[in-house]
Amino acid sequence: MGGVEKVVKDLSEFLSSRGFEVVVITYNRDRRGVSKFKHFEELNGIKILRIRPKLTWSHGSYSPELVTKVKESRADIVHVHVWRHPHVFQIAKMEGIIKVLHPHSPFYSLKQSGIINWTYYRIVDTLFRNTIRQYKLISITPFEKIKLERKFKVQSKLIPNGVDDLFFSISKRGDEHYLYLGRLSREKNVVSLLKAYELSGTDRPLILAGPDNGLGKRITKLVYKRKLNVKYVGQVDDATKIELLRRSRAVINPSPYEGLGLTLLEGEAMGIPSIIVGHGGQEFASPPGVSSIRTEDSPEALAEGLRSMEDDVIHSKLSAGARSWAENFKLSVVLPMYLEFYSNLYQRA
């Protein structure tokens, strides 16, 4: 369950609860490319169809079945997720349906993406710029909205990712540790976080939680070699995540660019401030000076941010701001925005 998957799940369950028929068509694979799920099942009133990919690479998949299955669904509106994937180009050619694209702000830097992925991004954005214009677009942050306007000359409807209302009823339990929640991968800048933590000299432990996307061994060796007060707990379930959050001094997101940063908002809903790096959607999720301390992308700057968060006056101010700001992202506020957006598109079709 990543950020995109959660958006699909929350939106599908909301629409189903409002009496709409919802069909989710996805690929029969996980992040490792292993097919192990049921071809079809119905969960919470939602029909889920998993098609076998003909080709997979990294997070990408291609299946020639896709268009046929979408046609068979007889959908009035087809909501496509994540720009640059094969299904975006397949669905764009279909006629007689309302097509919505949720790019999910995949505008990562060269440093985060690596030269191969970054080159692929540039090629697709240049050669297939007309494809994105075949869709009605949803942006998740003001940053993405502006990026889409400048890069592709298209307008979009701003609907941010939402936080479960449950998080607002959970009380904070202490300042035991700093917390990183997310994948252990290159683009998340976790190695820089470890260097910053060591430089900061803070006594509070640092907890890392999330799936290993290739950096687990390197992180473990670095922690052992430098004798850092850091614990990697792996991927955690929702109950464990909540417990880690409520005992945190702050949530740290060291990525220089994030599409949004839902874990920041989940912490803020409990009154937990953030430390963020760089610029991007994270500044919308956790505005600097309101609910976060923002630093530049260097271990030295991030270390200074950690030391500043140790100041009780600063921490108290940001905690209050965090809870207030997160109210804007409650699922009960966000999900009706989709229904209004769909209704307007349908009426104009």
Side-chain angles (χ1 to χ4, degrees):
M1 178 68 74
V4 175
E5 292 86 349
K6 187 176 188 308
V7 170
V8 175
K9 179 178 183 293
D10 291 339
L11 177 55
S12 298
E13 291 178 347
F14 169 74
L15 291 170
S16 179
S17 73
R18 294 298 182 94
F20 293 95
E21 181 181 0
V22 182
V23 179
V24 174
I25 301 177
T26 185
Y27 302 107
N28 201 340
R29 60 164 293 190
D30 58 18
R31 292 184 185 273
R32 296 168 296 180
V34 178
S35 300
K36 61 178 182 180
F37 305 105
K38 293 180 181 178
H39 175 67
F40 175 82
E41 63 182 315
E42 190 164 331
L43 296 172
N44 300 327
I46 302 157
K47 297 174 182 177
I48 302 169
L49 176 63
R50 302 182 181 93
I51 57 178
R52 181 178 297 277
K54 181 84 170 180
L55 179 67
T56 65
W57 67 97
S58 184
H59 301 313
S61 300
Y62 166 74
S63 172
E65 288 186 79
L66 178 65
V67 172
T68 299
K69 296 303 180 183
V70 171
K71 287 180 180 178
E72 289 176 355
S73 75
R74 303 180 64 84
D76 298 298
I77 297 174
V78 177
H79 190 149
V80 181
H81 293 266
V82 190
W83 169 236
R84 302 193 190 101
H85 283 253
H87 50 256
V88 177
F89 309 112
Q90 291 172 278
I91 301 301
K93 298 176 183 178
M94 295 183 65
E95 303 282 346
I97 55 172
I98 299 168
K99 299 184 286 283
V100 175
L101 174 61
H102 217 137
H104 289 279
S105 202
F107 302 113
Y108 295 98
S109 67
L110 172 60
K111 176 183 175 182
Q112 290 176 276
S113 307
I115 187 64
I116 295 176
N117 286 334
W118 187 79
T119 301
Y120 169 73
Y121 297 160
R122 292 291 298 272
I123 291 171
V124 171
D125 291 353
T126 301
L127 297 182
F128 297 93
R129 59 190 305 108
N130 287 329
T131 297
I132 206 169
R133 297 170 182 160
Q134 303 302 311
Y135 289 91
K136 303 300 181 182
L137 296 169
I138 293 176
S139 51
I140 59 175
T141 67
F143 178 93
E144 182 184 19
K145 184 176 179 64
I146 294 170
K147 186 81 171 179
L148 291 169
E149 290 172 4
R150 291 177 177 174
K151 195 175 184 70
F152 301 105
K153 305 296 187 290
V154 292
Q155 297 297 313
S156 62
K157 172 67 174 179
L158 174 58
I159 305 179
N161 296 349
V163 182
D164 290 318
D165 288 32
L166 165 70
F167 284 91
F168 293 85
S169 64
I170 299 171
S171 58
K172 195 176 182 318
R173 272 197 177 174
D175 300 325
E176 297 176 9
H177 53 249
Y178 287 101
L179 178 64
Y180 167 79
L181 276 171
R183 288 179 285 116
L184 264 63
S185 60
R186 174 176 178 169
E187 68 267 23
K188 298 299 184 180
N189 212 25
V190 184
V191 173
S192 183
L193 169 58
L194 293 185
K195 293 176 181 177
Y197 176 75
E198 182 178 20
L199 288 172
S200 73
T202 181
D203 292 329
R204 293 181 214 273
L206 170 64
I207 306 294
L208 309 176
D212 179 9
N213 274 192
L215 279 184
K217 289 183 178 178
R218 183 180 176 187
I219 294 297
T220 302
K221 287 180 181 179
L222 186 58
V223 168
Y224 178 78
K225 180 179 179 180
R226 307 298 298 181
K227 295 181 172 58
L228 302 177
N229 190 12
V230 176
K231 184 177 181 181
Y232 174 45
V233 297
Q235 189 168 358
V236 296
D237 58 25
D238 286 343
T240 304
K241 179 178 73 172
I242 287 171
E243 197 59 30
L244 288 171
L245 278 169
R246 69 193 306 197
R247 295 179 182 275
S248 300
R249 176 76 170 183
V251 176
I252 307 175
N253 189 322
S255 174
Y257 172 79
E258 278 290 324
L260 178 68
L262 185 60
T263 55
L264 300 175
L265 287 165
E266 290 173 340
E268 288 169 55
M270 301 181 197
I272 299 164
S274 312
I275 302 174
I276 61 175
V277 170
H279 303 279
Q282 64 268 36
E283 291 186 294
F284 180 53
S286 191
V290 175
S291 61
S292 74
I293 293 172
R294 192 197 71 80
T295 79
E296 295 303 324
D297 181 19
S298 75
E300 294 77 16
L302 184 51
E304 183 57 37
L306 277 158
R307 286 191 286 267
S308 296
M309 192 60 79
E310 287 293 306
D311 185 304
D312 288 337
V313 174
I314 293 175
H315 182 266
S316 178
K317 174 190 171 185
L318 295 176
S319 293
R323 182 61 180 264
S324 178
W325 180 253
E327 292 281 345
N328 298 304
F329 298 86
K330 276 186 172 181
L331 275 180
S332 58
V333 173
V334 170
L335 289 175
M337 296 181 185
Y338 288 103
L339 187 52
E340 181 182 2
F341 180 60
Y342 286 163
S343 298
N344 289 337
L345 291 178
Y346 191 75
Q347 290 170 13
R348 293 199 299 266

